[in-house]
Amino acid sequence: MTRVTRSLLLAALAFGRAPVSLASCDIPETFAPVSEPQLPDPWTFYNGEPVKTKEDWACRQEEMSKILQQFQLGDLPPPPQSVQASLEGNTVTMTVTTKTNSATARFTIRNTPRAAGSSGGPAVVAVGSYPTIPVPDGLGIIGFDNDACAAQTSAQAYGKGWFYDLHGSDHPAGSLMAWAWCAGRVIDALQQLGPEKTGIDTKRLAVTGCSRNGKGALAVGAFEKRFALTVPVEGGTGGAGSWRISDFLSANGSVIQTARQLVTENTWMSPRFQKYVNNVTTIPADQHFLPALIAPRGLFVIESNIEWLGPDSTTIAMKAGREIYAALGVKSNMGFYLEPSGEHNHCQFPANAGVALGAFYGRFLQPTVDIEVSNSTLELGDWTGDWSPAPKLG
Ligand code: MCU
């Protein structure tokens, strides 16, 4: 065991308090496989100690992050040395430089937020370039070309994309983790350009994506903490769906994506994951750890009844996620929606979830609405006469 000293800042940010002192997290450097048929307990450290305080929880979140990295997603590299961004038309070009390499990447500001004010307005980052959820007029839209960051064309496509140009084609990150890192560079670039140029306030960003990109959006929200809201759509197993429950359902005859199928199909997980896919109960994590890392930030998971996506698996894993939010006192910061009235086409937004999605946008991207927009040239004072100044009410 190494002693990793961490600032209480994380815990303090999560609970909206000022940092008070330094805490020490006892986090093993590596974790051994376990034998756990149920969803692993988020409230017990790997060494068996219970999580008792908010400071413990910040340490446990760090531990869960490390477990997910070691067993399934691969390592999240530290931020690069620099990101140099420029904007031409609606295309941002960035040069990302690490200690050893440099790469150029682009993303698109498809819509600029309207009526944004000097600090800019909120925007939705679409993993896969175009959002599949409705984005109300006035919200910005950023197209993030995740495939250029890390390819997902087949299980043979590991190591291709600008993430690997920077970190080496044998880097252990699978494409989901690579996307989380690259999405962080998109935010770096937006911060560097500033709201005057982009119209975007990087404190009010959401991330979304559907299907394989829904697996991506969930991982991006979990590992890039600057997203205020995460809206993963229909990622199925490996997204909101649990490894354990999907294996159980498959063993009972369901035609459902499992860990062992998933690794034959694509690059989403780290190559390290392969040794666990026939024995997922040995992984000291499951997919409810992703909401555990996102909490208390906004999270609205949309899933579907399509059998391959495992509606029972996604529902139970995300109910577990909501239990975690509940224990933190913020249950409604996480929502789950699986259209109860049956199937809809894959990645087609279920209209009945529209009001809830609007509420999540409102709460996490636009918590204060102070709006007064008109093209009238009449003067208020001509019509209020002697009302002003307004009285001070006792
Ligand atoms: C849920 O997303 C995936 C699924 O995991 C894959 O098995 C399937 O091949 O493709 C889905 C998808 O991304 O559809 C667009």
Side-chain angles (χ1 to χ4, degrees):
M1 302 256 279
T2 54
R3 199 139 184 100
V4 182
T5 306
R6 303 227 149 250
S7 160
L8 258 188
L9 193 59
L10 270 179
L13 286 177
F15 292 94
R17 293 182 289 112
V20 280
S21 67
L22 288 180
S24 293
C25 299
D26 269 336
I27 298 178
E29 233 160 50
T30 57
F31 302 86
V34 295
S35 173
E36 174 53 89
Q38 295 191 324
L39 300 180
D41 178 355
W43 306 113
T44 303
F45 283 99
Y46 180 81
N47 67 9
E49 291 292 319
V51 171
K52 288 197 202 125
T53 63
K54 290 173 175 177
E55 291 73 27
D56 286 350
W57 175 244
C59 289
R60 177 62 173 144
Q61 282 183 310
E62 185 65 14
E63 186 175 79
M64 290 187 284
S65 163
K66 293 279 185 262
I67 292 172
L68 288 166
Q69 291 180 60
Q70 184 192 317
F71 282 82
Q72 57 187 71
L73 291 163
D75 302 339
L76 177 69
Q81 290 200 315
S82 69
V83 174
Q84 287 299 326
S86 62
L87 176 67
E88 215 175 302
N90 65 354
T91 303
V92 176
T93 303
M94 48 184 182
T95 304
V96 182
T97 307
T98 61
K99 272 192 195 130
T100 46
N101 288 316
S102 186
T104 300
R106 290 181 179 77
F107 65 91
T108 313
I109 302 178
R110 293 197 188 291
N111 287 0
T112 303
R114 273 207 299 277
S118 58
S119 54
V124 174
V125 174
V127 180
S129 292
Y130 293 91
T132 64
I133 53 174
V135 176
D137 250 20
L139 274 189
I141 298 178
I142 293 164
F144 168 47
D145 181 1
N146 52 318
D147 292 0
C149 161
Q152 54 169 340
T153 42
S154 75
Q156 283 68 49
Y158 274 109
K160 296 192 178 65
W162 60 269
F163 174 89
Y164 300 99
D165 295 343
L166 287 169
H167 300 290
S169 58
D170 56 354
H171 191 280
S175 50
L176 303 188
M177 185 56 97
W179 301 339
W181 192 86
C182 293
R185 302 328 25 111
V186 170
I187 302 179
D188 292 345
L190 291 170
Q191 282 178 341
Q192 189 184 103
L193 291 165
E196 313 75 35
K197 286 194 185 141
T198 64
I200 290 165
D201 177 358
T202 53
K203 292 201 173 60
R204 296 189 286 154
L205 289 176
V207 61
T208 188
C210 183
S211 202
R212 55 197 61 205
N213 297 332
K215 299 186 209 292
L218 187 57
V220 171
F223 286 89
E224 177 43 72
K225 310 280 181 200
R226 286 173 289 179
F227 283 107
L229 173 64
T230 303
V231 188
V233 183
E234 296 184 49
T237 309
S242 145
W243 306 124
R244 285 168 174 80
I245 302 171
S246 295
D247 265 12
F248 165 80
L249 294 168
S250 166
N252 285 284
S254 176
V255 182
I256 182 177
Q257 183 157 43
T258 58
R260 59 183 178 279
Q261 182 280 337
L262 186 143
V263 296
T264 65
E265 188 182 333
N266 224 310
T267 55
W268 300 310
M269 300 295 152
S270 169
R272 286 176 191 157
F273 186 52
Q274 274 158 17
K275 56 178 180 288
Y276 307 109
V277 296
N278 292 314
N279 216 342
V280 298
T281 55
T282 62
I283 306 168
D286 210 319
Q287 297 306 86
H288 62 309
F289 277 20
L290 292 161
L293 297 190
I294 296 173
R297 290 173 291 138
L299 172 60
F300 186 33
V301 180
I302 299 166
E303 279 294 334
S304 116
N305 264 320
I306 296 171
E307 189 177 355
W308 182 246
L309 305 186
D312 287 319
S313 183
T314 55
T315 300
I316 297 304
M318 293 302 105
K319 273 182 185 259
R322 267 172 56 81
E323 288 305 309
I324 295 167
Y325 271 71
L328 300 173
V330 289
K331 189 166 190 182
S332 66
N333 286 10
M334 177 180 173
F336 181 75
Y337 192 92
L338 190 156
E339 177 55 54
S341 69
E343 285 191 8
H344 45 85
N345 289 337
H346 188 38
C347 294
Q348 185 187 16
F349 181 75
N352 292 333
V355 172
L357 177 63
F360 274 92
Y361 282 143
R363 287 178 56 205
F364 294 98
L365 300 190
Q366 190 82 311
T368 310
V369 180
D370 182 1
I371 189 162
E372 187 174 287
V373 178
S374 168
N375 62 0
S376 169
T377 55
L378 292 193
E379 290 293 333
L380 172 68
D382 293 342
W383 296 90
T384 52
D386 356 317
W387 295 15
S388 71
K392 277 214 163 69
L393 301 178

